[in-house]
Amino acid sequence: MTDFDRRDRPEPPMDGDELATLTGFLEFHRATLAWKTDGLTAEQLNQTTAKSSMTLGGLLKHLAYVEQQWFHTVLHDREPLEPWASVDWKADRDWDWHSAAQDTPEQLTALWQDDVERARAAVAEALETGDLGQLSKRAPWTDGKKVSLRWILTHMVEEYSRHNGHADLLREAIDGEVGE
């Protein structure tokens, strides 16, 4: 049984196995991003703080891309889906961040949620035939080295943890909402 905190985020298990612990922390951080971006207008999602150009809308779109990239493209060696497939990444390496300003809050949230659901399904699919030590079907870098599903899950926990720190600052600057 999963416990939830006061923000309705699933608490990672205190005594879970490796998979339950990794996915528990990833789900907690996904729920944290959902909380930090919930109920904001397009203007608020495009607000920056300090000297950074980072926005909460950009975070949502970037993390949607990261979910799709690691779990769909790298883990299963599948071609990128739209909107990612038609992006000219050489022309704009940060397209996910920059293009978010043209999307509505509903579009950004739906894109992120769809890629999270696809990522969950991709992990479940991989675990039907292997364990956390199985290597990705695609090498994510040009050196040809592949990464394990364990590495991908751990990296995603790191990715969300890092960006949820940014989300804390951005959300507080928007409306004073604070919390871990």
Side-chain angles (χ1 to χ4, degrees):
M1 171 132 194
T2 302
D3 293 327
F4 292 85
D5 71 5
R6 65 183 182 84
R7 296 287 182 183
D8 204 31
R9 296 175 297 175
E11 292 283 1
M14 301 292 273
D15 60 350
D17 63 15
E18 185 178 16
L19 177 62
T21 301
L22 285 170
T23 58
F25 272 96
L26 182 53
E27 291 301 333
F28 176 84
H29 283 290
R30 286 171 173 160
T32 299
L33 182 65
W35 161 40
K36 294 295 179 176
T37 59
D38 184 48
L40 297 177
T41 65
E43 181 181 342
Q44 290 170 319
L45 284 174
N46 287 311
Q47 187 172 321
T48 63
T49 188
K51 292 186 177 195
S52 174
S53 63
M54 189 178 292
T55 66
L56 284 170
L59 271 175
L60 277 172
K61 197 160 189 177
H62 171 71
L63 287 166
Y65 168 69
V66 171
E67 292 273 4
Q68 187 271 162
Q69 180 65 19
W70 284 107
F71 293 111
H72 179 82
T73 305
V74 173
L75 180 61
H76 288 290
D77 193 22
R78 295 179 177 141
E79 291 304 310
L81 303 171
E82 290 301 337
W84 321 114
S86 58
V87 173
D88 182 356
W89 293 103
K90 289 180 182 173
D92 185 355
R93 294 188 67 225
D94 291 324
W95 178 86
D96 44 344
W97 293 94
H98 300 148
S99 65
Q102 283 76 55
D103 299 323
T104 67
E106 296 78 18
Q107 289 170 319
L108 290 168
T109 300
L111 178 67
W112 175 67
Q113 288 174 340
D114 288 348
D115 279 318
V116 165
E117 284 305 314
R118 244 188 311 280
R120 289 178 181 133
V123 170
E125 179 185 345
L127 291 172
E128 288 175 5
T129 58
D131 61 16
L132 292 173
Q134 68 184 285
L135 294 180
S136 60
K137 293 182 179 167
R138 182 180 291 189
W141 299 285
T142 57
D143 65 4
K145 292 181 185 173
K146 296 181 178 183
V147 296
S148 68
L149 175 54
R150 177 183 296 105
W151 188 96
I152 293 171
L153 287 166
T154 303
H155 173 68
M156 289 301 292
V157 169
E158 179 270 335
E159 185 83 15
Y160 272 93
S161 298
R162 179 173 165 248
H163 288 312
N164 279 335
H166 299 130
D168 284 340
L169 294 171
L170 290 162
R171 183 65 190 247
E172 184 177 5
I174 291 167
D175 62 6
E177 178 75 22
V178 295
E180 69 171 85

